[in-house]
Amino acid sequence: MKIPFFVQEFTDEMKEAAIHALQNESFVGGESVSKFEEEFAEYTGTKYAASVSSGNGALQISLMALGISEGSKVFTPTNSFIASANCIRMTNAKPILVDINVKDGGIDVHSIRDKANAIIPVHIYGNPCDFDSVKSLSEEQKIPIIEDACQAHGAIFRGKKVGSLSDVGCFSFYPTKNMTVGGDGGMTTTDNEEIAMKIKSIRDNGRKTKNEFDKLGFTMRLNTVNAAIGRVQLKHLDEKNSRRRQIVKNYRKELFEDCILPENSEGKSVYHQIVIKHDKRDKIRKELFDNEIGSAIYYEKPIHMQKIYQEYGLTLPNSEKFSREIMSLPSYPSLTDEQVGIIAECVNKIIN
Ligand SMILES: Cc1ncc(COP(=O)(O)O)c(C=O)c1O
């Protein structure tokens, strides 16, 4: 591909931090881990942050810390990565998959008729979801909110960072995200000390003290070397998010038709994905492919249409139509203005 869909970043600064941590700290539980947590909590504007080994792990452990278990039900949107629902099933609870609004692909709380024990809204594509509606539902049903902010590091809703809006925020550091740790990794954020302590215990086999264990748990800690790389990435997150926002501006300027999904009017997206929605989607992708330009579809199959969810027998029409018309354009910070121009030219050829 002349312009790949995604470019993995590895800088000298990441390399130096990794080597320094490996040479000077314990591989597990080194001081880089607590420093990364402190810095991430400060960045997000929460009292606590607890790192884990993935975004999926962050969601799963948060649910467990909030007491979600067999017999519980949890709302989550069907337009997301499958982990948003699988984490619920891994606690033996049942996901209630919710349709989306076709404007931005976020959860449509107004379509909910059920009752549940918790809600996991997703800030999909880096864009804060309609959090006012989520909050109203949570107050109405008296249920906790766990934000799936796995794609939205640094996004803002009504002046506050996502991950600080609810009971717990969950982040992923998978390499394609706006920030990584040089491998898999995740983070939870909360203002509630008890929840933070529970998460730290569950990620560490349910440990209470050095030799005492008082609950079931996993080995789901973040490795020291990954935390050290995460600290470097966090330092550069804002500048990289700004570049992503500039790239979107450039696309909007260049495209004949503004078919890019809008951002929440009450917030600021970090454009993890730059998604266009068009009924000529497949032709646009082919044109890009023929010109050696990468693209992707997030998500080609909504969660309720995946094999392990088909038994639920759901039809969620908005997400089904949406998934046939959306595609993501390259959005990484190192994409040049010239490359944006080349990509836009290919898209324009089809939509004009
Ligand atoms: C919306 C969403 N939720 C959850 C996850 C799971 O994160 P991870 O891949 O780190 O387990 C991801 C990332 O892939 C995601 O994009």
Side-chain angles (χ1 to χ4, degrees):
M1 285 284 162
K2 273 194 206 130
I3 306 178
F5 177 66
F6 165 66
V7 176
Q8 186 166 291
E9 181 190 53
F10 185 56
T11 62
D12 286 345
E13 202 183 359
M14 288 163 75
K15 188 169 151 188
E16 277 158 29
I19 290 171
H20 187 271
L22 288 168
Q23 281 176 334
N24 298 289
E25 297 178 40
S26 300
F27 291 169
V28 173
E31 66 170 7
S32 290
V33 176
S34 48
K35 282 194 174 152
F36 184 35
E37 290 173 342
E38 276 163 31
E39 288 159 8
F40 201 89
E42 194 189 336
Y43 178 82
T44 310
T46 54
K47 286 193 189 145
Y48 310 96
S51 59
V52 287
S53 54
S54 70
N56 187 334
L59 289 161
Q60 208 184 130
I61 294 181
S62 299
L63 287 168
M64 289 169 72
L66 286 163
I68 298 300
S69 61
E70 188 153 12
S72 306
K73 291 180 184 174
V74 182
F75 298 121
T76 200
T78 191
N79 177 41
S80 185
F81 182 56
I82 198 159
S84 306
N86 281 357
C87 64
I88 301 166
R89 287 180 73 171
M90 294 306 287
T91 68
N92 292 320
K94 184 173 182 213
I96 309 289
L97 296 168
V98 181
D99 210 354
I100 56 161
N101 76 63
V102 286
K103 198 175 73 169
D104 64 7
I107 187 167
D108 178 13
V109 172
H110 304 290
S111 70
I112 291 177
R113 301 282 170 269
D114 257 301
K115 278 200 176 320
N117 306 91
I119 178 165
I120 303 181
V122 181
H123 302 301
I124 195 81
Y125 311 134
N127 186 34
C129 70
D130 172 10
F131 201 76
D132 290 336
S133 307
V134 171
K135 189 97 184 141
S136 300
L137 179 94
S138 118
E139 282 165 6
E140 218 176 276
Q141 300 202 4
K142 299 188 174 44
I143 56 173
I145 306 169
I146 297 158
E147 284 164 82
D148 182 337
C150 284
Q151 301 187 0
H153 321 66
I156 289 170
F157 179 77
R158 293 196 189 280
K160 286 181 78 181
K161 294 255 171 66
V162 304
S164 73
L165 308 171
S166 65
D167 297 273
V168 194
C170 295
F171 295 84
S172 163
F173 301 125
Y174 184 75
T176 55
K177 306 300 190 213
N178 290 31
M179 64 170 284
T180 182
V181 292
D184 276 315
M187 189 71 84
T188 59
T189 49
T190 181
D191 283 330
N192 184 320
E193 186 180 8
E194 195 187 327
I195 292 174
M197 296 312 287
K198 273 193 188 158
I199 291 171
K200 286 186 178 182
S201 171
I202 298 169
R203 75 178 177 188
D204 192 16
N205 296 285
R207 194 183 297 275
K208 188 177 175 214
T209 62
K210 191 167 187 295
N211 294 308
E212 282 178 308
F213 300 83
D214 63 353
K215 57 180 89 58
L216 284 176
F218 310 99
T219 300
M220 278 200 193
R221 298 171 297 241
L222 183 70
N223 291 315
T224 303
V225 62
N226 297 113
I229 294 172
R231 293 183 69 200
V232 172
Q233 286 267 310
L234 182 60
K235 224 168 47 183
H236 297 292
L237 178 62
D238 281 345
E239 86 207 25
K240 285 199 267 190
N241 283 345
S242 299
R243 174 66 192 149
R244 283 175 186 268
R245 292 180 63 81
Q246 184 57 48
I247 288 170
V248 175
K249 263 195 198 152
N250 292 356
Y251 273 128
R252 287 212 162 99
K253 206 167 68 198
E254 303 268 351
L255 289 172
F256 286 159
E257 223 180 273
D258 188 358
C259 44
I260 298 175
L261 297 186
E263 73 183 320
N264 189 314
S265 57
E266 303 302 335
K268 225 171 158 181
S269 172
V270 289
Y271 289 100
H272 167 59
Q273 299 286 327
I274 298 176
V275 181
I276 60 173
K277 183 162 155 284
H278 205 282
D279 54 10
K280 291 188 186 154
R281 191 267 313 268
D282 292 335
K283 282 192 181 142
I284 297 170
R285 284 201 83 201
K286 183 173 181 315
E287 181 65 24
L288 290 171
F289 182 81
D290 290 346
N291 285 278
E292 292 189 59
I293 297 167
S295 67
I297 301 174
Y298 288 76
Y299 292 90
E300 207 157 353
K301 246 189 197 186
I303 296 175
H304 71 280
M305 294 171 77
Q306 295 286 350
K307 192 167 190 293
I308 54 168
Y309 288 92
Q310 280 169 5
E311 69 193 60
Y312 289 26
L314 294 172
T315 305
L316 298 170
N318 285 354
S319 61
E320 288 167 30
K321 182 168 188 307
F322 186 81
S323 67
R324 289 192 293 270
E325 295 185 349
I326 47 150
M327 59 172 285
S328 302
L329 299 174
S331 62
Y332 43 90
S334 60
L335 196 72
T336 65
D337 293 351
E338 194 196 345
Q339 286 174 318
V340 170
I342 296 168
I343 297 165
E345 207 175 297
C346 288
V347 178
N348 284 339
K349 203 170 146 192
I350 303 301
I351 65 178
N352 193 13

